[in-house]
Amino acid sequence: MKFNFKIQDYQTAAVKSVVDCFEGQPYVNMTSYRRDIGYNYNNDCKMMHAPSYFDEEISEVGFKNASFMIDRDMLLSNIKKVQRSNNLIISDDLVDGVGNCSIDVEMETGTGKTYVYIKTMYELYKNYGWSKFIIVVPSIAIREGVKKSFEMTEDHFMQQYGKKIRYFVYDSSNLNQLDDFSSNAGINVMIINMQAFNTFKEGAKNNAARIIYSERDDFNSRRPIDVIKANNPILILDEPQKMGGSQTQKALLNFNPLFSLNYSATHSTKHNL
């Protein structure tokens, strides 16, 4: 079944509000870096460079989000301008969050926040060249719902922007997806539930969470978290009020985020709205 989506003015305004917060940030396309492709061991247990096929067929070049080139004063000024246009309480300062800033987007349940943040990714890429995103959700059920939204809106956004987002659900048993995430120059999105990276949430028996922080023989002796953080991703927190614990917030910093966008109808921790 194919769905037809109507472009709603209030959703377009929500996207524009986020994009306008970064006015003055120059467009930087494809900021490259040398990827860590890891090591393996030969039969004599000697450390070797990753297999030759990495050198010949898989480039070591990765692409990450460009750093902030606007200062805190300009960022705060932009946020205040957006707040005035939306008749919101004006922020006195940037509230500490995850990355350079944490922006709260308040949307009532059922108004299409997943659609809005997918479209926001396209617009952030179009305006600033930012291309690496991680959507963090509080449960597996929400994670699957987000993945379904990407599938349903794929053709709709292809018609608008002429390109598709490469998205995948983080799977600790399929870590090679992280190399694709890092090496591709287009818009790339990883969807992850917090249990997959928060060892404190489920305790020491949370094997999936421990994997992301440990060197893996089947991942060329690399830690998955290091491969992820090299991309300086933008975090999108879906229902952040369910991820407000201090240990979860510390774990989010391990992704080395550029900034975070927090989407909810009921924000429990307030940042810059």
Side-chain angles (χ1 to χ4, degrees):
M1 181 182 294
K2 185 176 180 179
F3 291 86
N4 292 317
F5 292 87
K6 180 180 178 181
I7 297 175
Q8 304 283 355
D9 289 343
Y10 74 88
Q11 293 175 333
T12 301
V15 173
K16 185 177 185 300
S17 291
V18 172
V19 172
D20 287 351
C21 288
F22 308 104
E23 185 178 352
Q25 170 76 15
Y27 176 84
V28 180
N29 188 25
M30 296 192 298
T31 300
S32 62
Y33 69 98
R34 183 173 181 177
R35 290 192 300 116
D36 174 14
I37 60 174
Y39 295 88
N40 65 5
Y41 294 85
N42 62 13
N43 293 332
D44 296 323
C45 296
K46 293 181 179 179
M47 183 178 288
M48 300 174 61
H49 196 266
S52 60
Y53 69 81
F54 275 101
D55 298 318
E56 297 172 0
E57 298 180 10
I58 301 179
S59 171
E60 293 183 10
V61 175
F63 299 95
K64 63 180 181 178
N65 287 330
S67 301
F68 259 34
M69 297 183 190
I70 55 175
D71 59 26
R72 288 177 63 87
D73 289 340
M74 181 176 289
L75 178 59
L76 179 59
S77 177
N78 290 340
I79 290 172
K80 287 181 176 180
K81 188 185 300 183
V82 172
Q83 289 170 333
R84 290 190 189 96
S85 68
N86 287 296
N87 296 314
L88 300 174
I89 295 174
I90 307 301
S91 296
D92 294 325
D93 201 353
L94 291 177
V95 180
D96 288 338
V98 180
N100 288 278
C101 65
S102 286
I103 294 176
D104 295 340
V105 182
E106 189 172 289
M107 295 186 68
E108 294 301 324
T109 302
T111 56
K113 69 178 182 339
T114 309
Y115 176 98
V116 166
Y117 63 63
I118 293 175
K119 185 168 183 174
T120 299
M121 295 179 209
Y122 276 104
E123 288 293 326
L124 289 174
Y125 177 78
K126 175 183 173 182
N127 285 273
Y128 308 117
W130 288 327
S131 63
K132 299 299 171 77
F133 301 89
I134 298 177
I135 300 172
V136 184
V137 299
S139 69
I140 293 174
I142 295 178
R143 184 193 72 189
E144 294 306 304
V146 170
K147 180 175 178 288
K148 187 66 176 178
S149 292
F150 273 97
E151 294 170 356
M152 291 169 56
T153 58
E154 197 168 54
D155 292 339
H156 169 73
F157 286 121
M158 179 65 182
Q159 291 175 0
Q160 287 189 57
Y161 294 97
K163 63 173 70 263
K164 292 185 178 181
I165 288 177
R166 292 166 56 100
Y167 60 90
F168 70 100
V169 171
Y170 171 81
D171 182 354
S172 60
S173 65
N174 187 12
L175 296 175
N176 289 330
Q177 291 177 308
L178 299 180
D179 283 317
D180 294 335
F181 177 75
S182 300
S183 62
N184 185 268
I187 310 173
N188 288 262
V189 178
M190 182 176 80
I191 309 165
I192 187 170
N193 54 293
M194 66 179 185
Q195 294 85 358
F197 64 86
N198 190 350
T199 57
F200 298 97
K201 187 68 179 176
E202 296 182 352
K205 293 183 179 180
N206 186 357
N207 292 327
R210 293 211 313 276
I211 287 173
I212 203 169
Y213 298 114
S214 60
E215 290 186 359
R216 312 295 301 172
D217 291 342
D218 57 354
F219 197 48
N220 293 326
S221 301
R222 295 174 295 173
R223 298 196 316 159
I225 191 65
D226 294 332
V227 174
I228 296 169
K229 70 194 299 183
N231 297 283
N232 206 193
I234 294 168
L235 297 188
I236 293 179
L237 307 186
D238 192 330
E239 304 292 343
Q241 73 278 7
K242 299 177 182 178
M243 298 179 267
S246 60
Q247 296 297 345
T248 302
Q249 291 299 304
K250 288 180 181 178
L252 290 172
L253 292 173
N254 291 326
F255 290 117
N256 186 33
L258 185 63
F259 59 86
S260 73
L261 301 174
N262 311 318
Y263 289 81
S264 177
T266 54
H267 291 279
S268 56
T269 301
K270 307 294 184 181
H271 300 95
N272 295 105
L273 182 63

